[in-house]
């Protein structure tokens, strides 16, 4: 099978490439090498892969990239909470417009193969909550006054008792609460529309908190695990917001890549949303301590209070659909994965020379806003 992996030089995408190559597939990569995440060609590029340097937002580049392919693994996206709302044009251009251009190119090529989309748990907004007296509750966004007073958890709107977080299934209502989340949900909707019109199987893998080797360092567009790792490497303590008891599901990148490979090949195809997670939630404070464990020189985590706009309190996955539909269960336990990640290389500038034409990688077919990095 010939698979196009957009964003295939990035964190998750490069691991997807590794799994597909190991399974004997022919792989083509389209990647912008976006400066906020890359500083040159990464050292883990593979000689047997057909790399195309350019943007999913550029029609000519994408038309050439999709020619003759059998399946698409769409990983290319701008991720994370970013710096502030001023990032919105970049998020929409890279994620929404880029996906639209990709799908238009597939339409022009009359493509009916599989599309596996890298989606995210951020589309849920808050996770799922239950009150012992009133059942499942869908909480409103947290009140700024309560947050300023250090009251982090959601109360039941009926009785005021603190709600209990429970795993969120794929059928839970979506409620994106950040620009990034809104673009990921729009990607799902665009891909689903393409699938319905063309009879193409579309799987949206909703990644929970992915961590592992090749994460970019020192960027607001990385996940919390990479931000903590970067701080530790720099001799700074990981700074933990709120009380550190926010619960997330941390899933190793190798498991995420394996889920992608399964979704691209399993028969019959699995359509719709699927959570990709470990199934075992941990707190942000547990993450920070896991990354400093066994490192006597590392400063201990600091719980600093405060909160980030757009952050939710708890969100972790129900994993039954991944197990039943894909036959997927995460294999890397939290403790072992974090031990490896604590010493794994984060993505830095490669000594490999840029390929011809690579100096112009930001030529994407649209005018980038002046505030872009």
């Amino acid at each position: 099978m010939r698979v196009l992996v957009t964003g295939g030089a990035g964190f998750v995408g490069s691991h997807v490439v590794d799994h597909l190559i190991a399974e004997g597939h022919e792989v083509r990569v389209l990647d912008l090498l976006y400066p906020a995440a890359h500083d040159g060609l990464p050292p883990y590029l593979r000689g047997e892969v057909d790399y195309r340097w350019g943007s999913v937002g550029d029609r000519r580049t994408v038309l050439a990239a999709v020619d003759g392919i059998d399946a698409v693994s769409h990983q290319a996206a701008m991720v994370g909470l970013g710096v502030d709302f001023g990032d919105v044009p970049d998020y929409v251009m890279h994620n929404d417009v880029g996906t639209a251009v990709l799908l238009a190119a597939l339409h022009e090529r009359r493509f009916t193969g599989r599309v596996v989309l890298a989606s995210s748990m951020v589309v849920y907004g808050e996770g799922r909550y239950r009150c012992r007296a009133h059942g499942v509750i869908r909480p409103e966004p947290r009140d700024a006054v309560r947050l300023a007073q250090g009251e982090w958890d959601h109360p039941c709107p009926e009785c005021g008792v603190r709600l209990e977080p429970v795993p969120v299934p794929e059928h839970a209502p979506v409620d994106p609460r950040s620009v990034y989340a809104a673009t990921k949900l729009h990607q799902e909707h665009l891909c689903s529309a393409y699938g319905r019109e063309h009879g193409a199987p579309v799987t949206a893998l909703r990644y929970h908190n992915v961590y592992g080797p090749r994460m970019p360092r020192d960027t607001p567009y990385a996940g919390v695990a990479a931000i903590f790792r970067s701080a530790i490497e720099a001799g700074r303590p990981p700074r933990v917001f709120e009380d550190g008891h926010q619960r997330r599901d941390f899933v190793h990148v190798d498991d995420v890549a394996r889920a992608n490979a399964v979704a691209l090949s399993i028969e019959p195809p699995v359509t719709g949303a699927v959570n990709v997670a470990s199934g075992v939630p941990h707190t942000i404070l547990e993450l920070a301590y896991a990354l400093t464990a066994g490192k006597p020189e590392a400063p201990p985590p600091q719980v600093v209070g405060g909160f980030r706009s757009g952050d939710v309190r708890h969100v972790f996955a129900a994993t039954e659909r991944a197990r039943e539909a894909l036959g997927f269960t995460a294999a890397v336990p939290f403790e072992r994965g974090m031990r490896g990640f604590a010493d794994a290389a984060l993505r830095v500038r490669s000594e490999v020379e840029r390929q011809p034409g690579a100096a112009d990688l930001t030529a994407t077919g649209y005018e980038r806003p002046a505030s872009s990095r």
Side-chain angles (χ1 to χ4, degrees):
M1 181 168 61
R2 182 178 297 158
V3 184
L4 171 66
V5 182
T6 69
F11 170 42
V12 175
S14 66
H15 288 275
V16 173
V17 169
D18 289 346
H19 274 261
L20 293 174
I21 292 294
E23 293 180 4
H25 299 296
E26 184 178 342
V27 178
R28 181 180 297 162
V29 163
L30 176 60
D31 199 298
L32 178 61
L33 294 184
Y34 188 53
H38 292 273
D39 188 11
L41 296 176
Y44 47 74
L45 301 185
R46 305 180 63 110
E48 65 268 60
V49 173
D50 175 14
Y51 288 98
R52 312 283 182 94
W53 305 118
S55 170
V56 291
D58 183 76
R59 178 178 175 275
R60 288 186 180 180
T61 300
V62 176
L63 271 173
V66 301
D67 188 38
I69 60 162
D70 303 307
V72 178
S73 171
H74 185 26
Q75 307 292 322
M78 189 171 171
V79 302
L81 282 179
V83 176
D84 57 34
F85 197 86
D87 285 322
V88 63
D90 272 3
Y91 276 103
V92 171
M93 285 294 186
H94 285 280
N95 299 359
D96 296 341
V97 176
T99 298
V101 172
L102 171 65
L103 295 174
L106 295 175
H107 169 74
E108 190 164 335
R109 296 297 190 201
R110 303 183 188 281
F111 175 83
T112 58
R114 299 189 196 199
V115 176
V116 175
L117 169 69
S119 187
S120 172
M121 55 86 174
V122 296
V123 301
Y124 297 119
E126 282 286 352
R128 190 175 177 87
Y129 293 83
R130 185 182 302 277
C131 173
R132 291 186 180 182
H134 298 98
V136 173
I137 300 290
R138 182 175 173 78
E140 295 294 323
R142 292 185 291 174
D143 179 72
V145 174
R146 287 176 54 86
L147 289 171
Q149 296 170 347
E151 298 177 16
W152 312 118
D153 288 291
H154 288 283
C156 174
E158 300 293 332
C159 64
V161 171
R162 185 171 66 181
L163 295 174
E164 173 192 2
V166 294
V168 59
E170 290 85 353
H171 61 75
V174 291
D175 183 18
R177 297 186 179 181
S178 69
V179 168
Y180 171 57
T183 63
K184 297 309 288 184
L185 184 57
H186 195 202
Q187 283 185 303
E188 286 195 21
H189 289 167
L190 291 171
C191 290
S192 295
Y194 182 90
R196 284 192 297 271
E197 183 166 330
H198 297 79
V202 174
T203 311
L205 299 180
R206 290 177 176 170
Y207 303 164
H208 284 247
N209 290 69
V210 189
Y211 71 95
R214 305 177 189 168
M215 291 188 87
R217 72 156 48 113
D218 291 330
T219 167
Y221 305 96
V224 64
I227 292 171
F228 283 178
R229 263 294 317 275
S230 297
I232 293 167
E233 274 191 347
R236 303 189 306 269
R239 299 177 75 252
V240 181
F241 291 111
E242 302 186 18
D243 59 359
H245 293 172
Q246 311 94 299
R247 297 174 75 183
R248 300 289 189 271
D249 188 312
F250 298 97
V251 58
H252 195 274
V253 66
D254 190 68
D255 283 324
V256 173
R258 182 165 53 87
N260 275 271
V262 170
L264 285 163
S265 59
I266 193 170
E267 293 293 349
V270 174
T271 58
V274 181
N275 286 329
V276 176
S278 73
V280 182
H282 291 272
T283 68
I284 300 295
L285 192 56
E286 286 176 318
L287 166 69
Y289 276 112
L291 291 174
T292 57
K295 293 180 175 293
E297 74 284 1
Q302 289 183 355
V303 178
V304 297
F307 61 96
R308 296 191 304 172
S309 176
D311 264 353
V312 299
R313 181 58 172 169
H314 303 291
V315 56
F316 50 93
T319 55
E320 288 80 6
R321 184 159 200 256
R323 183 173 61 252
E324 294 167 4
L326 289 178
F328 169 80
T329 302
V332 182
F334 179 81
E335 292 77 11
R336 175 159 61 86
M338 288 299 168
R339 281 198 302 272
F341 180 55
D343 295 311
L346 299 180
R347 194 160 67 233
V348 295
R349 184 178 181 87
S350 169
E351 297 302 321
V352 180
E353 291 186 3
R354 291 181 180 269
Q355 296 185 5
D360 194 30
L361 293 178
T362 55
T364 61
Y366 59 81
E367 184 177 352
R368 292 177 59 198
S371 61
S372 296
R373 295 145 304 281

